[in-house]
Structure formats: C-alpha cells, structure tokens
Amino acid sequence: MTKDQKVVAIQEIKDLLQDAKVVYVADLEGLNAGKSSDFRRQAFKQNIKVKVVKNTLLQKAMEQIEGVDYSEMFPSFKGNSALMIAETANAPAKLIQGFRKKEEKPALKSAFVQETFYVGDNNLDMLANIKSREEMIGEIIGLLQSPIQRVVSALQNKSETVEAQTEEAAPVVEETPAAEAPEAAAESTEETSAE
C-alpha cells in the first residue's frame, strides 16, 4: 500500500468515526467469503456499517479524532479487524451474538459505547443487554404515563359516579298529562255549580 493510499484509507476511517457514538471492533478472521458476505448483509439490514481495516491505519485514524481518546482500545488491535459503526448501542453486539449461534466468529475485540470502553469478548453479553436510547425513552414514557392514566381513569370514574348520584337524588315529580288536566278542571267546575 502506497503512502497516498494509506492517507486515503485513514481519512475514510476518520469519516466513519467522526460523529460515531457506537464503535465496535470485531475479529472476523476465519469466516469464509460466503459467511462474511452474510454477516455484512445482516449488518446492512440493521443499519450497521462494517469495514475491514488494517490495525495500524485504524489506530492512526482514531488518534486523529478529536474529543475521544480511543487509546484503551489499541491493545485489542491484533489480527484481522472489522470496524462496526451503529446508531443503536446494542445492535452490533446482538448481531455478533446471533451470528455466533452457528459460528465461532466474529469475536468482539473492543467497543466504545455510551462514552464507555469495553475491551474483550467477555463483554459481549453485557453490551447486548444495554438498552438502546429508544428502549429507554419508551420505558420512561411508560413510567410517566402510568400515574397520569390512573388519574384520568379516577376522574372519569368519579364524574360517572357523580352523574349517577345526581340522577338518583333528583325528586320525582308526577306530571299530569295535558289531556287529563282540562277534564279534571271541568269536573271540579260542574261539582261547584251543582251545589
């Protein structure tokens, strides 16, 4: 690889890392072409960018990123490395876990998730169980809605009870139909005139 090609490769990696909040480095070594393609296809469906990179170029690109010190990840950069960038914190871990049900690889080398570094494959289960931002927001909304729903339900039940009580408490007034009233009046006048 020429010097110019290395500069271009480093820039491509930097572009991927620039605003990344979820960065995984995995070992795909040992996957044949078909399985590697299948892994990439599944990653694409889950909106995970996968790029096989040279360790030295990855390290140089990470050193040039401002605002994040990736140096904790550098010791894990040995052998074949695949850079995985995602929006959802646990998506790459779940993808690796799902793929490993059939294969030994890929293995997690290291990850940078929610401003925390995870080094080693032993962190895979913990990363897979991290709740995504959307899941956390959903849970918070559910918690907030629960008391509100109880209050609204109580108010609705109270208004229905008040209406029922009002109907029961209203005095019942017997009304004489309009047709009977003139006859009753006529009878009372006849009785008074006969006397």
Side-chain angles (χ1 to χ4, degrees), residues 142-173:
L143 290 171
L144 291 173
Q145 281 181 337
S146 180
I148 292 170
Q149 287 173 338
R150 282 193 224 124
V151 169
V152 169
S153 177
L155 289 173
Q156 285 175 340
N157 289 339
K158 184 166 178 98
S159 67
E160 289 171 6
T161 316
V162 168
E163 286 174 15
Q165 288 174 349
T166 307
E167 288 175 7
E168 288 174 9
V172 179
V173 178

PDB file of all heavy atoms in Angstrom, residues 142-173:
ATOM      1  N   GLY A 142     -43.507   5.199  29.428  1.00  0.00           N
ATOM      2  CA  GLY A 142     -44.445   4.266  30.054  1.00  0.00           C
ATOM      3  C   GLY A 142     -44.589   4.530  31.548  1.00  0.00           C
ATOM      4  O   GLY A 142     -45.694   4.523  32.092  1.00  0.00           O
ATOM      5  N   LEU A 143     -43.456   4.786  32.210  1.00  0.00           N
ATOM      6  CA  LEU A 143     -43.500   5.092  33.642  1.00  0.00           C
ATOM      7  C   LEU A 143     -44.234   6.397  33.915  1.00  0.00           C
ATOM      8  O   LEU A 143     -44.973   6.517  34.890  1.00  0.00           O
ATOM      9  CB  LEU A 143     -42.079   5.165  34.219  1.00  0.00           C
ATOM     10  CG  LEU A 143     -41.331   3.835  34.313  1.00  0.00           C
ATOM     11  CD1 LEU A 143     -39.876   4.070  34.693  1.00  0.00           C
ATOM     12  CD2 LEU A 143     -42.000   2.923  35.329  1.00  0.00           C
ATOM     13  N   LEU A 144     -44.011   7.375  33.063  1.00  0.00           N
ATOM     14  CA  LEU A 144     -44.670   8.663  33.252  1.00  0.00           C
ATOM     15  C   LEU A 144     -46.163   8.583  32.944  1.00  0.00           C
ATOM     16  O   LEU A 144     -46.974   9.240  33.592  1.00  0.00           O
ATOM     17  CB  LEU A 144     -44.022   9.737  32.370  1.00  0.00           C
ATOM     18  CG  LEU A 144     -42.594  10.146  32.756  1.00  0.00           C
ATOM     19  CD1 LEU A 144     -42.020  11.083  31.713  1.00  0.00           C
ATOM     20  CD2 LEU A 144     -42.568  10.788  34.130  1.00  0.00           C
ATOM     21  N   GLN A 145     -46.525   7.793  31.958  1.00  0.00           N
ATOM     22  CA  GLN A 145     -47.929   7.693  31.560  1.00  0.00           C
ATOM     23  C   GLN A 145     -48.755   6.928  32.585  1.00  0.00           C
ATOM     24  O   GLN A 145     -49.929   7.214  32.766  1.00  0.00           O
ATOM     25  CB  GLN A 145     -48.054   7.003  30.205  1.00  0.00           C
ATOM     26  CG  GLN A 145     -47.746   7.899  29.047  1.00  0.00           C
ATOM     27  CD  GLN A 145     -47.917   7.185  27.722  1.00  0.00           C
ATOM     28  OE1 GLN A 145     -47.860   5.965  27.652  1.00  0.00           O
ATOM     29  NE2 GLN A 145     -48.110   7.932  26.665  1.00  0.00           N
ATOM     30  N   SER A 146     -48.165   5.987  33.276  1.00  0.00           N
ATOM     31  CA  SER A 146     -48.905   5.145  34.201  1.00  0.00           C
ATOM     32  C   SER A 146     -49.644   5.956  35.268  1.00  0.00           C
ATOM     33  O   SER A 146     -50.851   5.787  35.432  1.00  0.00           O
ATOM     34  CB  SER A 146     -47.956   4.128  34.833  1.00  0.00           C
ATOM     35  OG  SER A 146     -48.657   3.309  35.720  1.00  0.00           O
ATOM     36  N   PRO A 147     -48.991   6.867  36.015  1.00  0.00           N
ATOM     37  CA  PRO A 147     -49.742   7.653  37.005  1.00  0.00           C
ATOM     38  C   PRO A 147     -50.784   8.565  36.357  1.00  0.00           C
ATOM     39  O   PRO A 147     -51.875   8.738  36.898  1.00  0.00           O
ATOM     40  CB  PRO A 147     -48.677   8.485  37.719  1.00  0.00           C
ATOM     41  CG  PRO A 147     -47.373   7.896  37.358  1.00  0.00           C
ATOM     42  CD  PRO A 147     -47.569   7.106  36.108  1.00  0.00           C
ATOM     43  N   ILE A 148     -50.450   9.122  35.219  1.00  0.00           N
ATOM     44  CA  ILE A 148     -51.396  10.007  34.523  1.00  0.00           C
ATOM     45  C   ILE A 148     -52.632   9.222  34.115  1.00  0.00           C
ATOM     46  O   ILE A 148     -53.761   9.696  34.266  1.00  0.00           O
ATOM     47  CB  ILE A 148     -50.719  10.665  33.300  1.00  0.00           C
ATOM     48  CG1 ILE A 148     -49.637  11.640  33.774  1.00  0.00           C
ATOM     49  CG2 ILE A 148     -51.742  11.390  32.430  1.00  0.00           C
ATOM     50  CD1 ILE A 148     -48.751  12.159  32.671  1.00  0.00           C
ATOM     51  N   GLN A 149     -52.443   8.013  33.624  1.00  0.00           N
ATOM     52  CA  GLN A 149     -53.581   7.196  33.208  1.00  0.00           C
ATOM     53  C   GLN A 149     -54.466   6.855  34.406  1.00  0.00           C
ATOM     54  O   GLN A 149     -55.682   6.833  34.302  1.00  0.00           O
ATOM     55  CB  GLN A 149     -53.097   5.919  32.518  1.00  0.00           C
ATOM     56  CG  GLN A 149     -52.559   6.185  31.129  1.00  0.00           C
ATOM     57  CD  GLN A 149     -51.920   4.957  30.510  1.00  0.00           C
ATOM     58  OE1 GLN A 149     -51.511   4.046  31.205  1.00  0.00           O
ATOM     59  NE2 GLN A 149     -51.839   4.950  29.185  1.00  0.00           N
ATOM     60  N   ARG A 150     -53.828   6.610  35.567  1.00  0.00           N
ATOM     61  CA  ARG A 150     -54.611   6.315  36.767  1.00  0.00           C
ATOM     62  C   ARG A 150     -55.448   7.532  37.174  1.00  0.00           C
ATOM     63  O   ARG A 150     -56.604   7.395  37.553  1.00  0.00           O
ATOM     64  CB  ARG A 150     -53.693   5.898  37.922  1.00  0.00           C
ATOM     65  CG  ARG A 150     -53.235   4.469  37.791  1.00  0.00           C
ATOM     66  CD  ARG A 150     -52.596   3.983  39.075  1.00  0.00           C
ATOM     67  NE  ARG A 150     -51.395   3.272  38.710  1.00  0.00           N
ATOM     68  CZ  ARG A 150     -50.176   3.527  39.135  1.00  0.00           C
ATOM     69  NH1 ARG A 150     -49.969   4.478  39.998  1.00  0.00           N
ATOM     70  NH2 ARG A 150     -49.149   2.834  38.721  1.00  0.00           N
ATOM     71  N   VAL A 151     -54.854   8.719  37.123  1.00  0.00           N
ATOM     72  CA  VAL A 151     -55.573   9.944  37.485  1.00  0.00           C
ATOM     73  C   VAL A 151     -56.747  10.174  36.540  1.00  0.00           C
ATOM     74  O   VAL A 151     -57.869  10.450  36.969  1.00  0.00           O
ATOM     75  CB  VAL A 151     -54.614  11.167  37.487  1.00  0.00           C
ATOM     76  CG1 VAL A 151     -55.389  12.465  37.589  1.00  0.00           C
ATOM     77  CG2 VAL A 151     -53.609  11.055  38.619  1.00  0.00           C
ATOM     78  N   VAL A 152     -56.497  10.057  35.241  1.00  0.00           N
ATOM     79  CA  VAL A 152     -57.566  10.248  34.248  1.00  0.00           C
ATOM     80  C   VAL A 152     -58.670   9.224  34.473  1.00  0.00           C
ATOM     81  O   VAL A 152     -59.857   9.558  34.455  1.00  0.00           O
ATOM     82  CB  VAL A 152     -57.002  10.149  32.807  1.00  0.00           C
ATOM     83  CG1 VAL A 152     -58.113  10.070  31.787  1.00  0.00           C
ATOM     84  CG2 VAL A 152     -56.087  11.328  32.532  1.00  0.00           C
ATOM     85  N   SER A 153     -58.296   7.981  34.712  1.00  0.00           N
ATOM     86  CA  SER A 153     -59.292   6.931  34.952  1.00  0.00           C
ATOM     87  C   SER A 153     -60.106   7.247  36.208  1.00  0.00           C
ATOM     88  O   SER A 153     -61.328   7.106  36.206  1.00  0.00           O
ATOM     89  CB  SER A 153     -58.575   5.584  35.106  1.00  0.00           C
ATOM     90  OG  SER A 153     -59.500   4.577  35.407  1.00  0.00           O
ATOM     91  N   ALA A 154     -59.432   7.672  37.267  1.00  0.00           N
ATOM     92  CA  ALA A 154     -60.135   8.014  38.506  1.00  0.00           C
ATOM     93  C   ALA A 154     -61.098   9.176  38.281  1.00  0.00           C
ATOM     94  O   ALA A 154     -62.233   9.169  38.771  1.00  0.00           O
ATOM     95  CB  ALA A 154     -59.132   8.352  39.604  1.00  0.00           C
ATOM     96  N   LEU A 155     -60.647  10.183  37.532  1.00  0.00           N
ATOM     97  CA  LEU A 155     -61.521  11.333  37.254  1.00  0.00           C
ATOM     98  C   LEU A 155     -62.737  10.926  36.421  1.00  0.00           C
ATOM     99  O   LEU A 155     -63.846  11.396  36.662  1.00  0.00           O
ATOM    100  CB  LEU A 155     -60.733  12.434  36.542  1.00  0.00           C
ATOM    101  CG  LEU A 155     -59.705  13.182  37.402  1.00  0.00           C
ATOM    102  CD1 LEU A 155     -58.885  14.125  36.541  1.00  0.00           C
ATOM    103  CD2 LEU A 155     -60.382  13.930  38.522  1.00  0.00           C
ATOM    104  N   GLN A 156     -62.512  10.051  35.448  1.00  0.00           N
ATOM    105  CA  GLN A 156     -63.631   9.588  34.624  1.00  0.00           C
ATOM    106  C   GLN A 156     -64.619   8.798  35.471  1.00  0.00           C
ATOM    107  O   GLN A 156     -65.822   8.989  35.373  1.00  0.00           O
ATOM    108  CB  GLN A 156     -63.129   8.725  33.469  1.00  0.00           C
ATOM    109  CG  GLN A 156     -62.477   9.531  32.369  1.00  0.00           C
ATOM    110  CD  GLN A 156     -61.879   8.645  31.291  1.00  0.00           C
ATOM    111  OE1 GLN A 156     -61.618   7.471  31.515  1.00  0.00           O
ATOM    112  NE2 GLN A 156     -61.638   9.228  30.126  1.00  0.00           N
ATOM    113  N   ASN A 157     -64.122   7.926  36.340  1.00  0.00           N
ATOM    114  CA  ASN A 157     -64.997   7.141  37.207  1.00  0.00           C
ATOM    115  C   ASN A 157     -65.750   8.047  38.178  1.00  0.00           C
ATOM    116  O   ASN A 157     -66.916   7.837  38.452  1.00  0.00           O
ATOM    117  CB  ASN A 157     -64.201   6.092  37.983  1.00  0.00           C
ATOM    118  CG  ASN A 157     -63.725   4.974  37.078  1.00  0.00           C
ATOM    119  OD1 ASN A 157     -64.276   4.761  36.002  1.00  0.00           O
ATOM    120  ND2 ASN A 157     -62.696   4.273  37.512  1.00  0.00           N
ATOM    121  N   LYS A 158     -65.088   9.063  38.689  1.00  0.00           N
ATOM    122  CA  LYS A 158     -65.715   9.985  39.634  1.00  0.00           C
ATOM    123  C   LYS A 158     -66.838  10.754  38.946  1.00  0.00           C
ATOM    124  O   LYS A 158     -67.917  10.901  39.507  1.00  0.00           O
ATOM    125  CB  LYS A 158     -64.683  10.943  40.209  1.00  0.00           C
ATOM    126  CG  LYS A 158     -65.262  11.859  41.267  1.00  0.00           C
ATOM    127  CD  LYS A 158     -64.180  12.539  42.050  1.00  0.00           C
ATOM    128  CE  LYS A 158     -64.785  13.487  43.052  1.00  0.00           C
ATOM    129  NZ  LYS A 158     -64.891  12.968  44.364  1.00  0.00           N
ATOM    130  N   SER A 159     -66.590  11.244  37.722  1.00  0.00           N
ATOM    131  CA  SER A 159     -67.632  12.002  37.022  1.00  0.00           C
ATOM    132  C   SER A 159     -68.833  11.112  36.712  1.00  0.00           C
ATOM    133  O   SER A 159     -69.972  11.533  36.809  1.00  0.00           O
ATOM    134  CB  SER A 159     -67.094  12.651  35.753  1.00  0.00           C
ATOM    135  OG  SER A 159     -66.760  11.661  34.800  1.00  0.00           O
ATOM    136  N   GLU A 160     -68.606   9.851  36.385  1.00  0.00           N
ATOM    137  CA  GLU A 160     -69.709   8.924  36.128  1.00  0.00           C
ATOM    138  C   GLU A 160     -70.482   8.664  37.413  1.00  0.00           C
ATOM    139  O   GLU A 160     -71.706   8.602  37.421  1.00  0.00           O
ATOM    140  CB  GLU A 160     -69.179   7.603  35.555  1.00  0.00           C
ATOM    141  CG  GLU A 160     -68.667   7.733  34.134  1.00  0.00           C
ATOM    142  CD  GLU A 160     -67.954   6.479  33.661  1.00  0.00           C
ATOM    143  OE1 GLU A 160     -67.955   5.451  34.385  1.00  0.00           O
ATOM    144  OE2 GLU A 160     -67.373   6.535  32.558  1.00  0.00           O
ATOM    145  N   THR A 161     -69.796   8.554  38.544  1.00  0.00           N
ATOM    146  CA  THR A 161     -70.443   8.327  39.837  1.00  0.00           C
ATOM    147  C   THR A 161     -71.275   9.543  40.239  1.00  0.00           C
ATOM    148  O   THR A 161     -72.392   9.399  40.724  1.00  0.00           O
ATOM    149  CB  THR A 161     -69.382   8.051  40.927  1.00  0.00           C
ATOM    150  OG1 THR A 161     -68.415   7.157  40.419  1.00  0.00           O
ATOM    151  CG2 THR A 161     -70.008   7.459  42.168  1.00  0.00           C
ATOM    152  N   VAL A 162     -70.733  10.730  40.029  1.00  0.00           N
ATOM    153  CA  VAL A 162     -71.453  11.962  40.361  1.00  0.00           C
ATOM    154  C   VAL A 162     -72.727  12.061  39.528  1.00  0.00           C
ATOM    155  O   VAL A 162     -73.790  12.404  40.043  1.00  0.00           O
ATOM    156  CB  VAL A 162     -70.548  13.205  40.157  1.00  0.00           C
ATOM    157  CG1 VAL A 162     -71.347  14.485  40.223  1.00  0.00           C
ATOM    158  CG2 VAL A 162     -69.428  13.217  41.183  1.00  0.00           C
ATOM    159  N   GLU A 163     -72.645  11.754  38.238  1.00  0.00           N
ATOM    160  CA  GLU A 163     -73.829  11.789  37.374  1.00  0.00           C
ATOM    161  C   GLU A 163     -74.883  10.808  37.870  1.00  0.00           C
ATOM    162  O   GLU A 163     -76.071  11.125  37.936  1.00  0.00           O
ATOM    163  CB  GLU A 163     -73.447  11.459  35.931  1.00  0.00           C
ATOM    164  CG  GLU A 163     -72.716  12.573  35.225  1.00  0.00           C
ATOM    165  CD  GLU A 163     -72.234  12.155  33.837  1.00  0.00           C
ATOM    166  OE1 GLU A 163     -72.717  11.112  33.322  1.00  0.00           O
ATOM    167  OE2 GLU A 163     -71.389  12.864  33.281  1.00  0.00           O
ATOM    168  N   ALA A 164     -74.457   9.608  38.252  1.00  0.00           N
ATOM    169  CA  ALA A 164     -75.396   8.594  38.736  1.00  0.00           C
ATOM    170  C   ALA A 164     -76.048   9.056  40.036  1.00  0.00           C
ATOM    171  O   ALA A 164     -77.261   8.891  40.231  1.00  0.00           O
ATOM    172  CB  ALA A 164     -74.688   7.263  38.938  1.00  0.00           C
ATOM    173  N   GLN A 165     -75.275   9.642  40.931  1.00  0.00           N
ATOM    174  CA  GLN A 165     -75.823  10.128  42.196  1.00  0.00           C
ATOM    175  C   GLN A 165     -76.800  11.280  41.959  1.00  0.00           C
ATOM    176  O   GLN A 165     -77.816  11.386  42.629  1.00  0.00           O
ATOM    177  CB  GLN A 165     -74.693  10.588  43.132  1.00  0.00           C
ATOM    178  CG  GLN A 165     -73.885   9.435  43.691  1.00  0.00           C
ATOM    179  CD  GLN A 165     -72.683   9.906  44.497  1.00  0.00           C
ATOM    180  OE1 GLN A 165     -72.331  11.085  44.475  1.00  0.00           O
ATOM    181  NE2 GLN A 165     -72.057   8.972  45.190  1.00  0.00           N
ATOM    182  N   THR A 166     -76.500  12.135  41.028  1.00  0.00           N
ATOM    183  CA  THR A 166     -77.382  13.271  40.721  1.00  0.00           C
ATOM    184  C   THR A 166     -78.719  12.771  40.203  1.00  0.00           C
ATOM    185  O   THR A 166     -79.766  13.269  40.587  1.00  0.00           O
ATOM    186  CB  THR A 166     -76.718  14.193  39.676  1.00  0.00           C
ATOM    187  OG1 THR A 166     -75.421  14.538  40.124  1.00  0.00           O
ATOM    188  CG2 THR A 166     -77.531  15.452  39.468  1.00  0.00           C
ATOM    189  N   GLU A 167     -78.696  11.771  39.346  1.00  0.00           N
ATOM    190  CA  GLU A 167     -79.930  11.220  38.807  1.00  0.00           C
ATOM    191  C   GLU A 167     -80.770  10.577  39.908  1.00  0.00           C
ATOM    192  O   GLU A 167     -81.981  10.704  39.944  1.00  0.00           O
ATOM    193  CB  GLU A 167     -79.634  10.192  37.703  1.00  0.00           C
ATOM    194  CG  GLU A 167     -79.133  10.831  36.427  1.00  0.00           C
ATOM    195  CD  GLU A 167     -78.727   9.791  35.394  1.00  0.00           C
ATOM    196  OE1 GLU A 167     -78.946   8.581  35.618  1.00  0.00           O
ATOM    197  OE2 GLU A 167     -78.167  10.195  34.362  1.00  0.00           O
ATOM    198  N   GLU A 168     -80.131   9.896  40.861  1.00  0.00           N
ATOM    199  CA  GLU A 168     -80.848   9.235  41.945  1.00  0.00           C
ATOM    200  C   GLU A 168     -81.435  10.261  42.921  1.00  0.00           C
ATOM    201  O   GLU A 168     -82.511  10.085  43.460  1.00  0.00           O
ATOM    202  CB  GLU A 168     -79.910   8.292  42.708  1.00  0.00           C
ATOM    203  CG  GLU A 168     -79.550   7.057  41.927  1.00  0.00           C
ATOM    204  CD  GLU A 168     -78.513   6.209  42.647  1.00  0.00           C
ATOM    205  OE1 GLU A 168     -78.206   6.489  43.824  1.00  0.00           O
ATOM    206  OE2 GLU A 168     -78.011   5.268  42.033  1.00  0.00           O
ATOM    207  N   ALA A 169     -80.736  11.342  43.187  1.00  0.00           N
ATOM    208  CA  ALA A 169     -81.149  12.323  44.178  1.00  0.00           C
ATOM    209  C   ALA A 169     -82.220  13.279  43.666  1.00  0.00           C
ATOM    210  O   ALA A 169     -82.906  13.917  44.451  1.00  0.00           O
ATOM    211  CB  ALA A 169     -79.938  13.130  44.639  1.00  0.00           C
ATOM    212  N   ALA A 170     -82.399  13.405  42.390  1.00  0.00           N
ATOM    213  CA  ALA A 170     -83.388  14.347  41.838  1.00  0.00           C
ATOM    214  C   ALA A 170     -84.794  13.895  42.232  1.00  0.00           C
ATOM    215  O   ALA A 170     -85.128  12.722  42.095  1.00  0.00           O
ATOM    216  CB  ALA A 170     -83.253  14.425  40.326  1.00  0.00           C
ATOM    217  N   PRO A 171     -85.641  14.828  42.754  1.00  0.00           N
ATOM    218  CA  PRO A 171     -87.005  14.440  43.154  1.00  0.00           C
ATOM    219  C   PRO A 171     -87.840  14.076  41.924  1.00  0.00           C
ATOM    220  O   PRO A 171     -87.719  14.682  40.882  1.00  0.00           O
ATOM    221  CB  PRO A 171     -87.556  15.694  43.830  1.00  0.00           C
ATOM    222  CG  PRO A 171     -86.722  16.819  43.303  1.00  0.00           C
ATOM    223  CD  PRO A 171     -85.394  16.233  42.970  1.00  0.00           C
ATOM    224  N   VAL A 172     -88.683  13.080  42.137  1.00  0.00           N
ATOM    225  CA  VAL A 172     -89.533  12.621  41.052  1.00  0.00           C
ATOM    226  C   VAL A 172     -90.839  13.415  41.131  1.00  0.00           C
ATOM    227  O   VAL A 172     -91.543  13.382  42.132  1.00  0.00           O
ATOM    228  CB  VAL A 172     -89.813  11.108  41.162  1.00  0.00           C
ATOM    229  CG1 VAL A 172     -90.719  10.653  40.031  1.00  0.00           C
ATOM    230  CG2 VAL A 172     -88.522  10.343  41.194  1.00  0.00           C
ATOM    231  N   VAL A 173     -91.161  14.147  40.114  1.00  0.00           N
ATOM    232  CA  VAL A 173     -92.374  14.952  40.063  1.00  0.00           C
ATOM    233  C   VAL A 173     -93.329  14.278  39.105  1.00  0.00           C
ATOM    234  O   VAL A 173     -93.008  14.054  37.948  1.00  0.00           O
ATOM    235  CB  VAL A 173     -92.055  16.396  39.589  1.00  0.00           C
ATOM    236  CG1 VAL A 173     -93.339  17.210  39.491  1.00  0.00           C
ATOM    237  CG2 VAL A 173     -91.042  17.036  40.481  1.00  0.00           C
TER     238      VAL A 173
END
